Amino acid sequence: MQKEKKITLNADKRKVIADQFQSFYEDKVKDKLIQAKEQYDLMREKAKEQIEKVVRYHQPQEDVDTIRRMRSRYNDAGGDLYEDNCFYVQRPIIKVDDEGREYEAKDEIHVRFDMGRSFARAYYRDELKSKGLNPDYNLAIMDDYSKRNPKYYTDESAVNSYLGFSNSSNEDQSIQKPVHKWENDFKLWTIGSSYCHSRQYKVDENTLNFFKMYVASADEVTKQHQQLYSYVEGKMKTLRLGLKSYRTFDQAKALADKVGVVLNETMLNESSSLALSIYSPENLASLLEDKEVLTREQKIAFARKQMQQSVN
């Protein structure tokens, strides 16, 4: 009986195996990020309603309309109006200094409806990864900017371009990127300059605490992204060291079985199998007839369907 030849691991095969483990560990903890996003979405809708009540209480719509009419006649001399999604709310409080003397202060919170970069990478993490981009590039250096290398800047540029934080003149301007979508999702006409901090709205304690909860819900999305990355990367560092010492697929398979990771030999050859399936004469002819250029994801889905049909 001829002894079955073992599959020897190389860099590409190790990467395929590592990707399977990474997906496994991410699936174990990504629900917390999903839940944080869902909670933020709920809080955002409530916050939009609440901030409109606050702003319109201090700046009634009829006053906004009056200034708009004045501006139509006197231009800038008619008053300041600015459409914004950035607001400060505050309430007066009494504080005590180190010597026991009371003084007036204020408890304030910055309420924003646009999208910061860390939040954006967390909120759109799955979408970025599906496009082959790296939303974790900044977490990988752990605030040590001396670790920024060419790949860091490449990842940063690609992510910022996709999200809309940076744009090229060659891009199709009709495509609405996430940043622009969020900026246009909610704005209010306010009386005053474009400087957000110059417009502060007094609120009661309950309202202030609600907006603190809203801001905290956004911070939680970023926090869960950080924790997901830290957990998975901690596992992957150990795994990568182990994979370097493994010479055959059987060793990796034994580990996967013990951990609970689905791993089989066909995964190692998936890329070549997909290529053969996509570019067989019949399928290639079909693709060439299609006027629409398929994305990589569409090609893979097409190939998998063909492979499944051949199995059945």
Side-chain angles (χ1 to χ4, degrees):
M1 186 174 183
Q2 187 176 1
K3 187 176 180 180
E4 190 172 320
K5 186 178 180 181
K6 293 185 177 181
I7 298 175
T8 303
L9 297 181
N10 57 23
D12 290 339
K13 289 182 171 61
R14 287 189 176 91
K15 184 181 184 307
V16 172
I17 293 169
D19 288 346
Q20 288 299 117
F21 275 85
Q22 181 157 341
S23 295
F24 171 79
Y25 287 120
E26 288 195 3
D27 287 345
K28 291 183 69 173
V29 293
K30 71 178 183 180
D31 281 350
K32 291 183 179 179
L33 176 56
I34 293 172
Q35 290 167 10
K37 288 169 55 178
E38 291 174 347
Q39 180 63 24
Y40 170 79
D41 289 341
L42 292 173
M43 291 294 293
R44 180 182 174 87
E45 293 308 308
K46 294 178 182 178
K48 288 194 289 189
E49 295 175 4
Q50 194 66 31
I51 198 66
E52 185 165 11
K53 291 179 183 178
V54 169
V55 174
R56 291 286 79 91
Y57 173 79
H58 290 281
Q59 299 179 351
Q61 184 62 44
E62 51 265 33
D63 290 351
V64 173
D65 294 339
T66 297
I67 293 178
R68 185 173 284 115
R69 287 195 297 271
M70 294 289 288
R71 287 181 62 83
S72 68
R73 295 180 62 182
Y74 304 108
N75 298 318
D76 290 346
D80 289 329
L81 276 181
Y82 190 75
E83 192 178 27
D84 208 354
N85 50 25
C86 165
F87 313 92
Y88 276 86
V89 296
Q90 52 98 357
R91 75 181 186 93
I93 58 174
I94 301 297
K95 287 188 174 182
V96 180
D97 64 21
D98 294 338
E99 297 181 2
R101 293 174 297 192
E102 293 184 345
Y103 64 96
E104 292 183 357
K106 59 186 178 183
D107 187 8
E108 71 174 13
I109 191 76
H110 183 193
V111 183
R112 54 188 293 186
F113 295 91
D114 58 353
M115 186 170 57
R117 299 191 182 209
S118 294
F119 177 88
R121 291 192 295 269
Y123 193 92
Y124 286 96
R125 184 176 188 271
D126 285 347
E127 184 173 324
L128 288 165
K129 286 177 69 70
S130 72
K131 302 299 182 182
L133 304 176
N134 178 17
D136 305 329
Y137 70 86
N138 197 54
L139 298 177
I141 65 171
M142 299 178 65
D143 294 327
D144 183 354
Y145 291 101
S146 66
K147 295 181 179 178
R148 290 179 292 184
N149 55 27
K151 186 179 185 308
Y152 173 95
Y153 291 110
T154 298
D155 289 342
E156 178 185 44
S157 177
V159 168
N160 285 342
S161 176
Y162 182 84
L163 292 172
F165 289 109
S166 61
N167 296 283
S168 168
S169 59
N170 297 326
E171 294 178 7
D172 184 350
Q173 301 302 316
S174 66
I175 298 176
Q176 188 181 50
K177 294 185 177 182
V179 166
H180 309 126
K181 175 183 176 182
W182 281 63
E183 287 179 348
N184 296 322
D185 172 63
F186 179 76
K187 288 184 178 179
L188 290 176
W189 283 103
T190 59
I191 299 172
S193 72
S194 61
Y195 183 48
C196 181
H197 210 175
S198 69
R199 295 176 270 105
Q200 297 200 5
Y201 305 94
K202 289 185 179 180
V203 296
D204 58 33
E205 184 175 5
N206 288 337
T207 302
L208 185 70
N209 286 337
F210 166 77
F211 284 120
K212 286 182 177 180
M213 291 172 60
Y214 165 66
V215 172
S217 71
D219 292 340
E220 185 66 15
V221 175
T222 304
K223 175 185 173 183
Q224 290 303 328
H225 179 203
Q226 294 168 341
Q227 292 187 346
L228 185 155
Y229 176 80
S230 295
Y231 170 80
V232 174
E233 184 59 18
K235 298 289 186 183
M236 293 305 295
K237 281 182 178 179
T238 304
L239 175 74
R240 291 186 197 107
L241 289 174
L243 281 179
K244 283 184 180 179
S245 67
Y246 291 174
R247 295 179 58 82
T248 67
F249 173 77
D250 290 347
Q251 292 173 296
K253 173 63 173 165
L255 173 65
D257 290 343
K258 289 180 180 179
V259 174
V261 176
V262 177
L263 187 65
N264 55 60
E265 295 178 8
T266 57
M267 293 176 179
L268 300 182
N269 300 316
E270 185 181 50
S271 296
S272 59
S273 297
L274 289 176
L276 288 172
S277 179
I278 291 174
Y279 297 116
S280 67
E282 294 80 5
N283 294 336
L284 181 56
S286 177
L287 290 175
L288 291 173
E289 290 174 2
D290 194 346
K291 294 181 180 179
E292 181 182 356
V293 178
L294 298 184
T295 65
R296 179 178 180 276
E297 290 77 16
Q298 289 172 320
K299 290 178 180 178
I300 291 174
F302 178 83
R304 282 179 174 155
K305 180 179 178 182
Q306 296 295 322
M307 290 171 67
Q308 186 64 36
Q309 289 176 348
S310 65
V311 171
N312 296 336

